[in-house]
Amino acid sequence: MKELADYLGVPVSTVYDWRTRGLGPHAFRFGKHLKFAVSDVRIWVEQQRDTEPPAASGGR
């Protein structure tokens, strides 16, 4: 769980929260441990892509 949190740059508690709300990547349970497949994390990250164009800043 810590490796995933470090990779995503979020607190471990956020990963736990996503998991309990069904928002995070799929995980495998080994006893009391959760493990994430790299392929599942990559798919989940891609699904989080913001498809909205950035708002015009009006600068320059």
Side-chain angles (χ1 to χ4, degrees), residues 4-57:
L4 179 59
D6 290 345
Y7 174 72
L8 296 173
V10 298
V12 172
S13 60
T14 298
V15 178
Y16 277 112
D17 181 56
W18 290 339
R19 173 115 175 109
T20 59
R21 297 187 317 160
L23 302 175
H26 295 286
F28 295 93
R29 180 173 294 283
F30 297 95
K32 63 180 181 175
H33 301 283
L34 293 174
K35 301 293 180 182
F36 298 88
V38 173
S39 59
D40 288 340
V41 172
R42 286 183 178 150
I43 290 168
W44 179 81
V45 166
E46 186 60 33
Q47 291 170 343
Q48 306 315 302
R49 183 180 300 269
D50 185 3
T51 58
E52 294 293 318
S57 63

